[in-house]
Structures are given as C-alpha cells and as structure tokens.
Amino acid sequence: MECLVTYLDGRSSKSHQATLVILDGEVRVEDGAGDCLEMAMFANVTLSPPLAQRDRFLKFAGGARCQLSDARVIARLDERLHSSPGLDVVHILESSWRMVLLSSLALIAFSWAFTVFGIPAMARYVAMAAPASVLDTLSDKTIAMLDERFFADSELPANQQQEVQELFASVCHDFGGDARCEVLLRKGGEKIGANAFALPSGQIIITDELVDMALSLAEIQGVLAHEMAHVRERHALRHTLQHTGVFLLVSALVGDIGSISSLATTLPMLLVESGYSRKFEEEADR
C-alpha cells in the first residue's frame, strides 16, 4: 500500500511531496524519482494520536515525519502499529460536538463544585493536620508584619491590661485550657481601630480601641470567646488556604513547609482587609 504524503526531514522547516510505501515489516518514504528518503521497521516508527479531523503524523526515530491524510493508510498503520484503543475512543468523543458540549458543561460543573466544596474541604483537612511548628512560624511572621505596618504598643493602664489578661485566662479555661493561647494588646490607631484578630497558633490580638469601646468586661469576654472559636477551628489558616488556591493546598498535602510558611505574606492582609467569611463568623458566634 502506498500514498502521497508531505515529508519533513527533521533538519529544516521545508516540506517535500513524497510517497509513503507500506511493506510487510517496514515503511519507506520515496521521492518523485523513487529514491529512498527514509526507511524504518514498524517497531521504530510511531503514529501521532488522532485529534478531531486533523491529519496524522508518522514519526521516525531520527526526527523526520510524514503528514498523512489518507484514511485507508492511517487505518492500516493503526492496525500494524497497534495504536492505543483508548485514543480511538477519545477521537470519537472529540469528533462529536454534542460530546464536546457535554464535556464542557461537565467541566464547568466540576470546577464549580470543586471551588465551592472541594477547596474548603481540603483547606479544613490541611489546616487541622498542620503541625504546631508550622502554626508557630506562620503566626510569628504574621505578628511581626502586623506590628511593623499597623500596630503600636498598647497604651492601656497596667491594671486594665491585667483585667484583660485575667478575663482571657478564664475564657481559655472554658475552651479547655490550651497553654499555647495568649492575648496580645496593641494600639490599632486610625488604620485598625477597634478590632481583634485570632492567629493560627492560638495568639489573639485585641486593640486598645476595642477595650475602650466596651461597656463592660462581659462584652470583651464575648469578643475573646469568639476569637478563641476562630483559633479552635483554625479559621485563619483555612481562610488563607482557600484564598491562595489549589497550588498551596497541594504543596501543603505533600509536605512543602516552605510553601506553608509563605502564607505569612498573605495572612496579615486577609485578616486586616477582608476578614473571615460569613460562614466562619457564624461558626465562631455559635
């Protein structure tokens, strides 16, 4: 069997018209004068997989290739070269606009479901599985960045600071007495104002402005309890993972501590500018 093909020698971009000859155990490429341009056994050539209605390429070991359009020859080569039947199924699917449309809709649906359900579930798993050393590194870098950009030292009187510390100790006791938790008092200034933040390692930052705004210690206690719930559920780390996407989640799953530590550049801005999602806030309120 033979057919006309477009031949590329693999050394230049120029193409030539040639004839492909299929013999019992080999293939030959001949020019118009019948001279052999390429010859190889079937074991030393490959046929490119089908892609919609595009031509196929017969590839030689040295880099040369032939562009094929004859369906009979392509079918014969598929049979002799034992091409993967799975690729034939793919070819049938992608040749049908209905299947392409259905696949596109399925991809959109999967992407939506993965974004809405998959990423949050992965973020929760990664956050809950993160070791204490990672949480400490992330929190230390976050505090350092917040102190540098936003906070100043607390200006509350010593007795008022002591009241907040004692109140926080009682809240910690109600949450199970986690020894790693501590409250840090900072002056928020115009940029932050009255606010409180929970960091992954268990540290809670509360501003002077929030303490001054509270009408009673019970109100401060409610804020501290709310922030402790954020700590327990690791909302800060989960929130950051969900916003930084799949790449960091995969890095975390395979144990790339460097990628986890780099979250410290993202977490401060998320805490200051966007806060938690409504779902996280409602969970902490409950």
Side-chain angles (χ1 to χ4, degrees):
M1 179 179 286
E2 62 182 53
C3 69
L4 293 177
V5 297
T6 300
Y7 172 73
L8 298 99
D9 60 16
R11 295 182 294 274
S12 69
S13 60
K14 187 177 181 180
S15 61
H16 308 273
Q17 293 298 311
T19 301
L20 177 68
V21 182
I22 302 176
L23 304 174
D24 287 339
E26 64 183 22
V27 291
R28 290 168 51 92
V29 181
E30 300 176 352
D31 62 14
D35 295 329
C36 181
L37 301 175
E38 293 283 345
M39 182 176 64
M41 304 298 293
F42 281 123
N44 297 324
V45 295
T46 58
L47 186 63
S48 66
L51 179 60
Q53 304 301 322
R54 301 188 64 179
D55 291 345
R56 307 275 293 276
F57 286 91
L58 184 67
K59 302 177 182 179
F60 295 85
R65 57 181 180 168
C66 294
Q67 184 174 351
L68 309 172
S69 57
D70 191 310
R72 293 183 307 107
V73 172
I74 292 174
R76 179 68 178 274
L77 288 172
D78 270 328
E79 179 184 349
R80 295 299 301 269
L81 298 177
H82 305 291
S83 298
S84 172
L87 295 177
D88 294 334
V89 174
V90 173
H91 175 59
I92 294 172
L93 293 176
E94 67 187 8
S95 298
S96 168
W97 68 266
R98 291 182 179 86
M99 294 304 302
V100 171
L101 178 60
L102 182 61
S103 299
S104 299
L105 293 175
L107 179 60
I108 293 172
F110 173 81
S111 300
W112 175 84
F114 183 71
T115 301
V116 174
F117 302 107
I119 289 180
M122 292 174 65
R124 178 180 177 82
Y125 175 81
V126 172
M128 292 302 182
S133 59
V134 171
L135 301 180
D136 290 340
T137 299
L138 179 57
S139 294
D140 290 345
K141 291 183 177 181
T142 300
I143 291 173
M145 189 175 296
L146 289 173
D147 282 342
E148 180 183 350
R149 297 187 181 184
F150 301 105
F151 293 136
D153 293 337
S154 175
E155 297 178 357
L156 291 177
N159 64 323
Q160 199 170 10
Q161 292 192 34
Q162 182 62 31
E163 285 181 340
V164 174
Q165 293 289 351
E166 292 174 355
L167 194 62
F168 182 70
S170 70
V171 172
C172 284
H173 180 270
D174 292 339
F175 272 82
D178 190 344
R180 299 174 66 247
C181 293
E182 62 174 328
V183 64
L184 305 175
L185 288 159
R186 296 288 191 272
K187 182 175 178 60
E190 294 182 359
K191 292 183 179 179
I192 302 299
N195 219 323
F197 307 97
L199 300 175
S201 65
Q203 295 157 311
I204 292 175
I205 301 174
I206 186 169
T207 65
D208 294 356
E209 291 83 354
L210 189 146
V211 175
D212 290 336
M213 181 184 292
L215 300 178
S216 67
L217 291 178
E219 291 187 352
I220 300 175
Q221 186 180 36
V223 171
L224 293 173
H226 177 94
E227 296 302 325
M228 279 295 294
H230 282 315
V231 171
R232 183 177 62 185
E233 299 300 324
R234 299 195 176 179
H235 285 162
L237 184 54
R238 288 165 61 186
H239 183 61
T240 308
L241 287 169
Q242 288 177 202
H243 276 74
T244 49
V246 179
F247 174 74
L248 284 177
L249 287 175
V250 172
S251 298
L253 286 170
V254 300
D256 187 349
I257 301 302
S259 294
I260 289 293
S261 299
S262 69
L263 292 176
T265 62
T266 305
L267 179 56
M269 299 311 298
L270 286 176
L271 288 176
V272 171
E273 293 183 356
S274 62
Y276 297 107
S277 68
R278 180 171 295 277
K279 178 182 177 181
F280 286 167
E281 294 293 359
E282 291 175 350
E283 187 176 7
D285 284 341
R286 288 193 298 270

